[in-house]
Amino acid sequence: MTRPVRCSRSARALGVLALGLALTLVGLPAASAVPEAGSTPYFESPFTLRSNPVAFGQDPSWTPDGRVLSNEPDGAGTDQVYVSTLAGADRHCLTCGQPGPNGFPQERPQGDWVLFCSWRGAPVTFGAPCLGGVGTDLYVMRPDGTDVTRLTAPGQAFEPTGVVYDNYHPAWSPDGRRIVWTHVGYAPLSAGGTQWTMLVADFAGGRTPRLGPTTVVGPAIDSGYETQVWAPDGSGFLYTAMGQGESGWLNLELYYLRLSGHGASFAHPQIVHLTDDSPAWDEQAVFTPDMRDVVWMSSRGSPTWYQTVITAARQIGFDPPLQNETFGPMFELTISDPGFHTDLYERDLASGAIRRLTDRNGIVPEFYFDPSGRTLLWSDPAHGGTNVGRFALASAPARVGPSVTPVAAWFGAPRHPALTPPPGPVTPRSTTLPSTVVEGLTLLQSQLRQLASRLQTLPQGPGCCRGP
């Protein structure tokens, strides 16, 4: 999820317009899960929540040996990649002394490489590295901060030279052989607008790590994507998208893209819709290690103007094109709303039963299971801390998927401060967003006005758009 950033004048005007539209409608009641009986070990286990004594940055993740990678500001206020224990002991900075900001660290299951994201050298930036915006590239380094290597750059087949771009939300496959991520190319509206694609690439380690063959498994469509984590068995990955199928205009829902098994392949992936078409914001997600449940973040317990707009559009059949162009502005506008709150929910995939795991009414950004498969970790910017959620399973969790043996040379090895690479040329960053990025704001503003105008002319007035 993109961090809240200071909005431009256009974004602030758009927020005022959306707020005005929401005020013309009847507020939605808080949505609640259908009381169904779940039957899986995770669904039946008590889920306990505690505050971690140490607060990490937005997207902490686990290493195979149970430590925590995170992005934290260095002495100059630039986000860098750190590693420590969950309690904050043995803390080391892995990228300090290098250009930044750097963040979104993810250690390979083998424990020999750390994937991370950086803006270094990008002429145009917006948002935050790998959290949505403009200007991110993918890098890897050794777990002690050495051998920093860039994986994505202009000139690659998926990165046309001259097009403003972003790469975000990457994840290792369970066997460490592949990386999935979302690529955004900000094409002008005259050329179809912003193009979102989901990419999977082979990872070649060794002395000179690099990406191997890269496959577009999620082609550019009338929508936007955000890749989440892989399924534990490596058969595919979770992702979120707006307005796919019957979900409704700009409605963010959770999906599973199967790439192998049951007739699926990279050439013919299968899409499985996992959430329930609620007008809520459904985003960050992980499978439980046994793949019988999915845990995800949703705003369904704390409706805001977003739910009101989605419900109104659905009930009057408002579905304008170019959601690929308006996905980004709607994303930024929604999460920048001070009233935007989310919690964790769990769904038994066999029965469809849903239960609410947390009741914090805060913000749940990225979260992941620890190596034991019992504990989730996420930061809570609304409450200024980091949460640890634990499933009290009666026995060791059943697991599916490959068993990867960590590389002995790196597993449990001391983590040292990063070595500073030779300085390279620094490209000044632009403070003005390119027109191809701003075009989406203007289009969304126009579409919201169209929606508001149509609602004003309905005989039943705002009664058209009451929530269920």
Side-chain angles (χ1 to χ4, degrees):
M1 179 195 299
T2 308
R3 289 182 172 178
V5 296
R6 183 168 297 164
C7 295
S8 66
R9 182 177 302 174
S10 297
R12 289 196 296 270
L14 186 55
V16 171
L17 173 68
L19 180 60
L21 172 61
L23 291 176
T24 68
L25 307 177
V26 176
L28 298 180
S32 60
V34 177
E36 300 178 81
S39 59
T40 72
Y42 281 88
F43 202 96
E44 295 176 342
S45 297
F47 184 78
T48 58
L49 182 67
R50 67 175 176 85
S51 295
N52 196 55
V54 174
F56 295 106
Q58 174 170 329
D59 45 46
S61 65
W62 302 93
T63 65
D65 59 6
R67 284 180 274 188
V68 176
L69 287 165
S70 63
N71 58 285
E72 317 291 341
D74 61 15
T78 300
D79 276 1
Q80 303 287 3
V81 175
Y82 285 78
V83 66
S84 71
T85 66
L86 181 61
D90 299 324
R91 186 171 182 259
H92 297 287
C93 182
L94 303 183
T95 57
C96 287
Q98 301 178 30
N102 304 295
F104 211 88
Q106 307 277 319
E107 190 156 300
R108 193 176 184 222
Q110 286 85 343
D112 55 351
W113 291 101
V114 174
L115 176 67
F116 72 101
C117 304
S118 182
W119 277 354
R120 59 186 73 187
V124 181
T125 59
F126 177 76
C130 267
L131 295 171
V134 177
T136 301
D137 275 302
L138 307 184
Y139 290 76
V140 289
M141 61 182 167
R142 289 295 191 182
D144 62 357
T146 60
D147 295 336
V148 176
T149 305
R150 185 175 184 173
L151 297 180
T152 63
Q156 292 167 296
F158 56 87
E159 207 81 280
T161 302
V163 176
V164 177
Y165 67 88
D166 194 59
N167 297 285
Y168 83 112
H169 257 241
W172 293 103
S173 62
D175 60 7
R177 295 173 53 196
R178 296 186 173 103
I179 299 171
V180 63
W181 76 98
T182 303
H183 178 267
V184 190
Y186 291 94
L189 195 54
S190 60
T194 304
Q195 303 298 302
W196 304 75
T197 52
M198 295 187 292
L199 306 178
V200 173
D202 293 344
F203 175 75
R207 292 179 178 237
T208 306
R210 67 188 186 282
L211 293 181
T214 301
T215 304
V216 177
V217 294
I221 57 174
D222 182 21
S223 182
Y225 299 118
E226 181 178 275
T227 42
Q228 309 296 336
V229 301
W230 287 80
D233 66 357
S235 60
F237 57 87
L238 296 168
Y239 74 97
T240 47
M242 280 183 170
Q244 284 199 334
E246 302 298 321
S247 63
W249 180 64
L250 290 177
N251 187 16
L252 191 65
E253 290 283 297
L254 175 64
Y255 301 88
Y256 169 48
L257 194 73
R258 186 189 298 277
L259 299 174
S260 64
H262 299 277
S265 66
F266 275 65
H268 301 285
Q270 296 176 355
I271 297 173
V272 182
H273 187 186
L274 298 182
T275 41
D276 53 1
D277 282 333
S278 162
W281 186 270
D282 295 308
E283 194 190 349
Q284 316 293 347
V286 297
F287 279 112
T288 54
D290 59 5
M291 282 190 66
R292 296 176 65 182
D293 301 62
V294 67
V295 179
W296 85 103
M297 171 268 270
S298 180
S299 68
R300 61 190 58 208
S302 305
T304 63
W305 72 268
Y306 172 80
Q307 275 102 314
T308 305
V309 170
I310 299 306
T311 300
R314 180 187 293 173
Q315 293 190 10
I316 67 171
F318 185 76
D319 190 18
L322 291 169
Q323 291 178 104
N324 58 301
E325 183 73 4
T326 53
F327 176 99
M330 190 65 160
F331 200 110
E332 181 64 33
L333 185 58
T334 300
I335 66 170
S336 297
D337 178 2
F340 179 69
H341 297 136
T342 63
D343 272 289
L344 286 183
Y345 291 77
E346 178 184 7
R347 183 163 197 166
D348 176 341
L349 295 175
S351 71
I354 296 174
R355 70 163 172 162
R356 184 171 180 168
L357 295 176
T358 65
D359 192 16
R360 298 276 287 170
N361 284 318
I363 302 286
V364 182
E366 292 73 16
F367 58 93
Y368 308 96
F369 271 106
D370 74 336
S372 77
R374 297 174 183 263
T375 303
L376 295 173
L377 177 70
W378 72 95
S379 290
D380 185 352
H383 296 95
T386 295
N387 294 324
V388 178
R390 184 173 177 82
F391 288 91
L393 297 167
S395 58
R399 294 175 178 273
V400 298
S403 177
V404 176
T405 302
V407 176
W410 295 106
F411 187 75
R415 310 297 174 103
H416 302 290
L419 303 179
T420 304
V426 177
T427 304
R429 290 183 187 149
S430 172
T431 58
T432 303
L433 288 176
S435 59
T436 54
V437 177
V438 179
E439 281 180 329
L441 285 170
T442 304
L443 179 61
L444 179 58
Q445 185 177 28
S446 172
Q447 292 179 347
L448 287 171
R449 282 182 175 146
Q450 293 174 41
L451 176 58
S453 177
R454 287 187 53 179
L455 293 173
Q456 295 293 337
T457 63
L458 293 176
Q460 64 270 49
C464 75
C465 305
R466 293 182 183 273

